[in-house]
Amino acid sequence: MHKSFLAGAIAMLVLSANAAYPESPVRLVIPFPPGSASDVIARTLATSAGAKLGQPIIVDNKAGGDGIISANEVARAKPDGLTILFGTNSALSASPALKVKLPYDPVKSFEPVTSLGRYTFFLYVNSQMPTKNVAQLIQHAKANPGKLNFDTGNTTALVSSLQFNSVTQVKMEHVAYKGEPPAMLDLLSDQVQVMFGTPTLGMPHLAAGKLHVLATTSSECSPLLPDVPTLTEAGIRGFSITSWAGLFAPTGTPKAATDALRSAFTEALKDPVVVATLQKQGFVPLASDPEGLRRLVAEQLVKYRDTIRAAGIQPE
């Protein structure tokens, strides 16, 4: 009788704790600065999901280190569901491929909650380039080996460019920048000729004729520029780099917390107002179960590492 009573009491405590989550505001750590496209995406989702949780979700910008700073902070946080990560391919795919050692494990340090979606990247060339499509870019690059420069302001652009060079067997020289804004400025001024970039910075210059867009890295055409082909449609086979975002908690976070978070964020991803805001940032909403996100992390980690090695880049 005593053991039965004790078991019942424990069960009631568990149910009570589960029902109470979250008892205080949740902190969403993101690896991007205020005002960036990802900041807008994270804040939009946090506002909607927080309303569903019954507690505010506060966005905490921890930019820098290609996402390593933010990912490490969440990996080391108390696993109570009150500190979560807006994780992307920067911290969990690219940085593990580019660094010999990280302060966290991209797979073992986190509980996957749900996928949030996919970023749209476009392949831009400046207006001085005599190329109107991907085939012409490849032809021009092969006719001028080593004379074209591509610039990068983030790890997605870097790895996408490296894989493009590898798959098409062209040789374009890499110029690295500390962020996409300065990279875009030099693309516009013809200091560099080619760039994989986001729609947020690139699209305003298309109408003015300062840039041309040749393709999107997404698996489907973007509603932002529906006439622009995917790389696959443009004839590029074997391009496998995905720019993604997902929600993670520290390993050991109770299932009740991750279930509640997944439910709230999944509902937010269905909200028409939220979806419209995300799509304006070139972000395609996409929820998943935890295992689906876990598989994505493992799969993209391999693809990023393979691309880095094929390019001859040694991890630092």
Side-chain angles (χ1 to χ4, degrees):
M1 179 68 73
H2 176 69
K3 289 183 179 179
S4 176
F5 174 80
L6 181 60
I10 292 173
M12 288 298 292
L13 286 172
V14 171
L15 288 172
S16 175
N18 288 354
Y21 175 84
E23 295 181 331
S24 60
V26 176
R27 183 167 66 113
L28 176 61
V29 182
I30 75 167
F32 303 98
S36 63
S38 291
D39 180 64
V40 174
I41 293 164
R43 290 179 186 279
T44 301
L45 287 170
T47 299
S48 180
K52 293 169 175 58
L53 281 176
Q55 287 283 356
I57 298 177
I58 300 168
V59 172
D60 187 3
N61 301 88
K62 297 287 184 180
D66 291 327
I68 295 173
I69 295 171
S70 60
N72 187 45
E73 179 151 336
V74 174
R76 296 173 60 190
K78 184 178 179 180
D80 54 9
L82 298 180
T83 301
I84 54 178
L85 174 68
F86 184 93
T88 72
N89 50 281
S90 290
L92 301 177
S93 301
S95 289
L98 291 165
K99 303 294 182 182
V100 173
K101 188 175 182 181
L102 289 176
Y104 57 87
D105 186 292
V107 176
K108 297 179 181 178
S109 296
F110 305 99
E111 297 283 355
V113 178
T114 178
S115 168
L116 296 174
R118 306 289 185 265
Y119 290 94
T120 298
F121 271 69
F122 290 118
L123 174 57
Y124 297 106
V125 296
N126 68 48
S127 58
Q128 304 302 312
M129 286 279 286
T131 56
K132 304 299 183 185
N133 55 52
V134 173
Q136 290 179 0
L137 172 61
I138 296 170
Q139 183 180 21
H140 185 63
K142 288 184 175 180
N144 297 275
K147 294 182 180 180
L148 299 183
N149 297 323
F150 70 87
D151 64 354
T152 61
N154 50 55
T155 55
T156 296
L158 170 61
V159 181
S160 295
S161 300
L162 293 175
Q163 188 165 59
F164 183 86
N165 275 5
S166 176
V167 169
T168 61
Q169 297 185 335
V170 301
K171 183 179 180 182
M172 294 187 287
E173 300 300 321
H174 177 217
V175 182
Y177 291 81
K178 293 182 178 180
E180 194 174 65
M184 181 60 69
L185 286 175
D186 273 7
L187 180 68
L188 292 166
S189 64
D190 197 29
Q191 299 300 307
V192 293
Q193 293 74 46
V194 183
M195 175 180 174
F196 281 95
T198 63
T200 305
L201 291 180
M203 283 188 62
H205 302 291
L206 297 178
K210 296 180 179 179
L211 293 178
H212 299 308
V213 59
L214 307 186
T216 175
T217 62
S218 301
S219 59
E220 298 178 355
C221 293
S222 170
L224 294 173
L225 294 171
D227 294 332
V228 174
T230 67
L231 282 170
T232 300
E233 291 172 338
I236 305 301
R237 307 296 177 186
F239 191 92
S240 57
I241 294 301
T242 299
S243 184
W244 56 269
L247 189 68
F248 298 84
T251 291
T253 299
K255 187 174 184 299
T258 57
D259 284 350
L261 287 165
R262 182 168 60 260
S263 176
F265 275 85
T266 298
E267 287 301 310
L269 289 166
K270 297 176 183 176
D271 185 328
V273 175
V274 171
V275 170
T277 301
L278 301 189
Q279 288 179 338
K280 287 180 182 178
Q281 302 298 323
F283 191 76
V284 181
L286 181 65
S288 74
D289 60 25
E291 285 309 307
L293 180 54
R294 193 186 302 276
R295 285 193 301 270
L296 176 69
V297 172
E299 169 195 290
Q300 287 296 306
L301 183 57
V302 171
K303 290 181 178 179
Y304 272 70
R305 281 176 172 161
D306 287 349
T307 299
I308 293 298
R309 288 170 183 163
I313 295 177
Q314 296 299 317
E316 298 177 354

